Amino acid sequence: MTVCAIETTTTAPFTIAADGSYAARLAGDGEARYPERWTLAGPEPYAVPLPLAQPEEADSEVLPLADGRVLIHRRVAERHAFALLYPTGGGSAATGPRTGELPLGAIEPEDARTRVRLLPPSPDGCGAFALAAGPAGTTVWRIAGGAFGPERVAHVPGRCSGGVWLDRAGRLLALDRELDGRTKAVAVDLGRGGAVSPLLQIAETSDDRLLLADPDSGLLLIRSDAPGEARLGWGVLGSSLPVRFPECLRGEGATPFAVQPGQALMPETCAVALRLEDGAGASGGGWGSIGLWRPADRHVFRLPAPAGWLGGTGLWSREGRLHLPYATPDVPCGIVTLGIPVAPPPPVRLDPPPAPAPRPIPLQQAPLR
C-alpha cells in the first residue's frame, strides 16, 4: 500500500506503516502530547496511548514499524535523539499498559542550518530512515533495521527534500535535490553505497519533483513547472513515454497521498487519492475535499473529507477501497472506507484523426505532452 504523511495546520502528522498494519501520531494538545499507536489490521481499528513520564514536544516525530513498535524522533538541544516505544505489561484499567522505551542513539548535525526529519516508512516494514539536509549536502541515516544506533548510509550533494520509495525492498529512494538553483528528483541506491542517478529531467530549466510512486505498476506522480506553471503530472518508471499533465488536474491544487497497489504493469488503472486545496473546505465541514482519479480517466471525483480526517493520509486496498483515518470526540479512532466511482464516458470527438505519435524517448528527456 502506497501511503504518505502530509502535515496540516489542524492536526499533527499521522503516519501509516508500509504494510498498513499500524499507524502512529502525536495525540493530545498543547503541552500534554504523547505518542499514540493505531492498530489497523484487525476487524476494527483501535488506539493504544504510549505516554512516558514527560510529555513530548510538539515538533517530535513518530513512525510505526510493522512489528508494532513506534519510532520517535526528538530534538534535544542541538542533538536529534531516537528511540523505539512499545506497550508493556502492567498498568491499570484507567491508565492502560505501560510504555517501554529502547533508546537508539542520536545524531548531531555539523551545521546549525541542517534540518533533520524522518523519511516515510521503509517498504520492508522494519527499517526506518532519517534525512539530514544541510546547505551543501544531505545525509541519509538508517535509524532502525541495521546495526545498533544511527548509521550513515548515503550522502547526496545538494540540499534534498521529499522522500519516496521506488521499490518494495527499501533500497531505492527518490529525493528532490536542489542544486544550482534547480530542483530535480534523483534516485539514491542505498544498496550501492548511496549511488545517485538522475530520475526526472523534464526540461533543462524546470523544477521536477516526485510526490508519490507505486512500485507494483511503476506509476509516478510528479509536480513540475515545465508546462509554464506548477502542474501535477504522471509518468511510468522506466518507460519511454513522456510525462503527461492531465487537464482535469489543472488548477485543483491537488496533492496525492495514496496509490492503489497490486496493479502490476497497469499504471493507468491505479486509483489515486488526492487532497484538494481549492477552498472546498466548507462543504467538507472544514476538513477539505478529497479527489479520486485514475490516469486512464479524464475526470476527478470530488468528495468532502470526513470530519476529523487525520493529517491528509489514507491507504488503498488492492481491491480499490480507500481507507481514511479520522478522530472526533465521539469516535477517537475510526476509519471511513470509500470506493472509486465509475468514470463517465469521454465525449464523442469529431476532430480529424490525430497525427502519428512521435517516436518514444526516455522519461528523463521527455518533452511535455
Side-chain angles (χ1 to χ4, degrees):
M1 299 178 180
T2 305
V3 296
C4 68
I6 302 172
E7 187 172 356
T8 70
T9 58
T10 56
T11 60
F14 184 86
T15 306
I16 305 175
D19 63 353
S21 56
Y22 294 97
R25 65 166 179 153
L26 273 185
D29 298 307
E31 298 181 356
R33 295 180 179 270
Y34 57 91
E36 182 180 76
R37 187 195 72 186
W38 287 32
T39 299
L40 305 176
E44 295 290 338
Y46 65 91
V48 175
L50 297 173
L52 293 168
Q54 296 292 329
E56 304 293 343
E57 298 291 336
D59 61 353
S60 297
E61 294 182 290
V62 291
L63 183 148
L65 302 182
D67 61 6
R69 294 182 296 177
V70 173
L71 177 72
I72 186 165
H73 164 215
R74 306 180 179 104
R75 181 162 183 171
V76 183
E78 299 303 321
R79 301 166 66 247
H80 294 264
F82 303 90
L84 288 173
L85 307 179
Y86 51 93
T88 65
S92 64
T95 62
R98 295 177 180 174
T99 303
E101 181 175 14
L102 175 64
L104 296 178
I107 60 178
E108 185 171 352
E110 298 178 359
D111 194 304
R113 296 171 293 176
T114 298
R115 182 192 176 201
V116 178
R117 62 177 179 83
L118 294 177
L119 286 168
S122 175
D124 64 7
C126 61
F129 295 81
L131 197 69
T138 300
T139 301
V140 180
W141 293 85
R142 178 184 285 114
I143 306 300
F148 187 81
E151 174 188 2
R152 189 193 308 259
V153 293
H155 183 78
V156 182
R159 191 177 186 92
C160 295
S161 58
V164 176
W165 295 101
L166 299 175
D167 65 342
R168 292 292 181 193
R171 170 174 171 170
L172 295 178
L173 174 67
L175 298 173
D176 297 329
R177 178 173 66 173
E178 181 183 350
L179 194 64
D180 299 329
R182 296 294 175 189
T183 300
K184 303 285 186 183
V186 297
V188 182
D189 190 339
L190 303 183
R192 295 178 53 205
V196 179
S197 59
L199 181 62
L200 291 177
Q201 180 73 32
I202 301 177
E204 184 176 350
T205 60
S206 62
D207 290 327
D208 310 318
R209 294 175 171 86
L210 181 63
L211 305 182
L212 211 57
D214 174 56
D216 295 335
S217 64
L219 178 65
L220 305 178
L221 281 304
I222 298 158
R223 193 179 305 282
S224 173
D225 60 4
E229 59 179 332
R231 294 273 300 274
L232 184 63
W234 68 279
V236 180
L237 185 65
S239 172
S240 59
L241 296 175
V243 174
R244 278 148 281 190
F245 296 89
E247 199 63 28
C248 64
L249 297 178
R250 188 173 188 174
E252 289 285 2
T255 301
F257 63 88
V259 178
Q260 180 185 0
Q263 308 300 298
L265 304 179
M266 296 187 298
E268 296 87 355
T269 66
C270 288
V272 179
L274 309 163
R275 182 183 179 94
L276 303 180
E277 304 286 357
D278 57 355
S283 64
W287 298 97
S289 298
I290 294 170
L292 304 180
W293 169 77
R294 282 182 296 219
D297 299 334
R298 299 180 181 179
H299 182 79
V300 177
F301 294 95
R302 304 167 63 89
L303 302 171
W309 184 29
L310 289 175
T313 58
L315 58 89
W316 285 100
S317 69
R318 291 176 176 266
E319 295 74 29
R321 305 290 290 176
L322 177 63
H323 304 283
L324 300 174
Y326 71 96
T328 65
D330 295 331
V331 184
C333 177
I335 296 290
V336 170
T337 301
L338 304 174
I340 187 167
V342 177
V348 177
R349 297 182 61 93
L350 301 178
D351 300 336
R359 177 180 60 87
I361 61 177
L363 177 65
Q364 295 177 7
Q365 302 171 3
L368 304 182
R369 179 177 177 180

